[in-house]
Amino acid sequence: MAASTSTILRALASLLLGTVVSDAMAEGRVPEYATEVAPIVSRACGECHRAGGVAPFALETADDLARRAKTIARVVRDGTMPPWFAAPPASPAHRFSNDASLSEGEKSALLAWLESEARPIGDLSKAPPPRGPAPEWRIDTPDAVFELPEAVAVKASGTMPYINVRVKTGFTEDRWVRAWEVAPTARDVVHHVLVFAVPPGARGAADEARGFFAAYVPGGGMRQYDDSRAKRLPKGSDLLFQLHYTPNGKATSDRTRIGLVFADAAPKHEVRTAGIFDPKLDIAPGAASHREGAAITVPADARLLSWMPHMHLRGKSFRAYRESNGVRETMLEVPRYDFNWQLSYDYAQPPVVPRGTVLGIEAVFDNSSANPANPDPAARVRWGQQSTDEMLIGYIEYELVEGGAAIGEGARARLRDRASQFAFLDEDGDGAIERGEGGELVARAFDAADADGDGRVTRAEFDALAARRSRRTPPP
Ligand code: HEC
């Protein structure tokens, strides 16, 4: 079929103006709501901006748009809506399946309609049907739902420590979870929820740097894998909910729950979550562009499914990369990190990262007064749980490549090697771990490890604790 006139006009206009324009603009008319604007809004905004959705108002009719035309034009122009913070991928191989961003053509069509006098409607029977109220679950109907045994009271102001609640599953067999959703009931005060699967008999070790089973963060909170993938929930596991609330001026209560959809049989690929993290970060007062980074060497051939950057209020930008044979390639670039949206970036075609590849993250923090989110530019900032402390974690979801290079003996030995674990935590290298060293990783276990209570964990005390723990917890 020959290219339509509008396609040719559009190509010409792109050439002349150096921009991408919509059909309507190429033809010199204002786009119509029904066939040219509504499809964009339905795709890019509809999931959240509907009754019962996460956004505060619906955008389902031409009236909904017209009423807020000015604000919508602003957020579309600024690129703050839809929430999507990744730069366009450097190579098509690194496209994300959940990329919500508007193309330049979509942006210009939406803006042209919002800013026109007439705002033509067109034939509404050709518009996409309204999505209607959000369903109770975004995933398929769960096979099992676990909720907090009682509601958590969230106070009106101040900060709240993390709350850990352990819920029994009572599963007598391993379950394969092909979809999960973590659903708070008071979303406006929930900063995040991490759900860990704690093996039977193990003590609750909610260590967010190590990876989690499921999570709720603004802009996330669910995952539905394709048919070949699922996460394993080992039999007898408890679900440990780690909840972080940020009071917002009004006392309320929350009773978060998790919904799980099971696969009938073991999947082709087991999905796992891990974190690449930098617990030693240390940001000077007032520093405007403080850099931190961390990297791991991939111990076995793996396929990378997603990245999820995690920083707090001083996070400014984030980059994830892979490096092999001295060649570094950017995998995810987030030029303008926004603490309010902890998005996961899911690969459309998950790339294979062979054993020996370095996977790394780099981030810039802004601890200056020019950062409007900065709670205290005068503070020296280190790793910690509260939003006023910092973190740098690049969570990855991955699966092992079938028949690929398995985890090598060398890497296995390093993971087991107490001397290198100890050296990692003993930040100042004085032969003992003092309180505060090793950040969050150590804080919770410090008293248990410091057997003689002298405020220092020696190598012997460290080994003794590790031996006690390894009797209780099977190796990963
Ligand atoms: C992932 C869910 C999500 C998507 C997709 C989304 N929004 Fe939003 N939107 C929100 C939430 C939540 C808020 C309220 C919090 C905020 O302003 O950040 C919001 C706020 C807004 C606001 C008010 C901003 C202000 O400053 O008052 C506008 C306007 C808006 N969205 C327009 C859009 C448009 C247009 C689209 C699609 C092109 C879109 N949104 C897509 C969740 C979403």
Side-chain angles (χ1 to χ4, degrees):
M1 207 179 80
S4 71
T5 325
S6 71
T7 314
I8 295 170
L9 284 173
R10 181 155 53 172
L12 207 62
S14 317
L15 203 68
L16 293 176
L17 305 173
T19 65
V20 185
V21 296
S22 65
D23 284 357
M25 280 176 78
E27 291 161 12
R29 61 177 176 81
V30 176
E32 284 181 353
Y33 174 77
T35 54
E36 293 168 288
V37 173
I40 301 171
V41 176
S42 175
R43 175 194 72 79
C45 327
E47 175 68 30
C48 302
H49 285 274
R50 68 207 284 201
V54 301
F57 49 86
L59 291 177
E60 293 216 287
T61 64
D63 267 356
D64 290 343
L65 290 179
R67 211 175 304 131
R68 298 177 198 271
K70 254 205 165 114
T71 328
I72 296 172
R74 172 171 54 77
V75 297
V76 166
R77 197 168 273 126
D78 293 352
T80 48
M81 284 283 153
W84 184 258
F85 301 93
S91 98
H94 291 165
R95 271 185 310 113
F96 299 106
S97 63
N98 60 335
D99 185 343
S101 59
L102 297 173
S103 69
E104 290 303 317
E106 288 174 321
K107 265 191 194 179
S108 56
L110 191 48
L111 289 170
W113 186 85
L114 289 167
E115 288 165 357
S116 73
E117 300 251 302
R119 296 197 186 124
I121 299 295
D123 181 355
L124 279 178
S125 71
K126 293 191 184 143
R131 290 182 181 238
E136 185 183 3
W137 296 96
R138 287 178 285 160
I139 53 172
D140 295 346
T141 307
D143 296 308
V145 175
F146 297 97
E147 62 179 350
L148 301 182
E150 51 192 52
V152 174
V154 181
K155 53 188 194 166
S157 59
T159 58
M160 286 176 65
Y162 282 22
I163 292 171
N164 292 296
V165 182
R166 195 160 169 158
V167 178
K168 284 209 176 320
T169 61
F171 292 142
T172 52
E173 286 166 26
D174 286 1
R175 293 297 172 102
W176 289 102
V177 175
R178 68 172 178 80
W180 52 260
E181 181 170 346
V182 179
T185 58
R187 240 174 344 216
D188 48 339
V189 290
V190 175
H191 169 270
H192 77 248
V193 180
L194 295 181
V195 183
F196 301 87
V198 183
R203 290 205 335 177
D207 182 346
E208 56 194 285
R210 291 284 156 85
F212 48 79
F213 185 80
Y216 169 83
V217 285
M222 55 88 73
R223 184 75 100 234
Q224 188 141 293
Y225 303 106
D226 65 27
D227 289 345
S228 69
R229 304 191 159 105
K231 278 190 121 163
R232 183 206 299 269
L233 185 58
K235 65 179 173 190
S237 298
D238 292 346
L239 294 174
L240 179 68
F241 287 75
Q242 181 201 75
L243 305 122
H244 184 199
Y245 295 100
T246 40
N248 70 353
K250 213 173 92 209
T252 179
S253 69
D254 171 70
R255 195 164 180 193
T256 290
R257 52 192 192 145
I258 183 171
L260 305 173
V261 182
F262 301 131
D264 297 333
K268 194 156 168 234
H269 304 293
E270 176 176 354
V271 176
R272 305 158 196 243
T273 307
I276 302 170
F277 55 98
D278 175 19
K280 298 180 182 179
L281 60 81
D282 189 353
I283 309 171
S289 289
H290 176 87
R291 284 173 191 280
E292 291 281 349
I296 58 164
T297 302
V298 177
D301 285 1
R303 203 174 287 110
L304 202 56
L305 305 179
S306 70
W307 282 103
M308 189 182 117
H310 177 69
M311 296 185 272
H312 293 172
L313 294 164
R314 294 165 175 97
K316 186 175 181 181
S317 65
F318 179 95
R319 170 183 299 140
Y321 63 88
R322 56 187 282 174
E323 191 176 303
S324 48
N325 305 318
V327 179
R328 189 179 273 207
E329 182 190 9
T330 296
M331 300 195 80
L332 166 67
E333 178 87 56
V334 177
R336 193 166 44 89
Y337 178 81
D338 184 337
F339 172 70
N340 294 307
W341 294 100
Q342 310 266 335
L343 300 186
S344 159
Y345 299 90
D346 308 341
Y347 284 112
Q349 292 152 354
V352 169
V353 282
R355 183 168 89 186
T357 308
V358 171
L359 276 187
I361 56 175
E362 283 177 338
V364 178
F365 293 88
D366 184 354
N367 194 19
S368 76
S369 52
N371 171 5
N374 191 351
D376 183 6
R380 175 179 179 194
V381 185
R382 309 188 72 174
W383 181 277
Q385 293 188 326
Q386 291 297 336
S387 312
T388 48
D389 307 318
E390 268 304 333
M391 285 196 183
L392 171 56
I393 308 178
Y395 288 113
I396 50 174
E397 268 187 322
Y398 68 96
E399 63 199 21
L400 298 179
V401 173
E402 224 175 330
I407 184 162
E409 233 346 276
R412 228 181 252 287
R414 271 197 302 283
L415 286 174
R416 276 196 305 256
D417 175 38
R418 296 247 165 80
S420 49
Q421 293 168 0
F422 187 81
F424 177 76
L425 297 170
D426 174 19
E427 294 171 21
D428 58 8
D430 69 347
I433 303 167
E434 281 86 27
R435 205 179 281 278
E437 277 186 324
E440 186 55 31
L441 295 177
V442 168
R444 228 179 308 241
F446 195 90
D447 292 326
D450 182 17
D452 62 7
D454 69 350
R456 293 159 50 88
V457 175
T458 60
R459 177 68 201 278
E461 285 173 329
F462 181 77
D463 286 355
L465 178 77
R468 292 205 296 279
R469 292 247 156 123
S470 67
R471 278 198 294 278
R472 263 196 312 257
T473 319

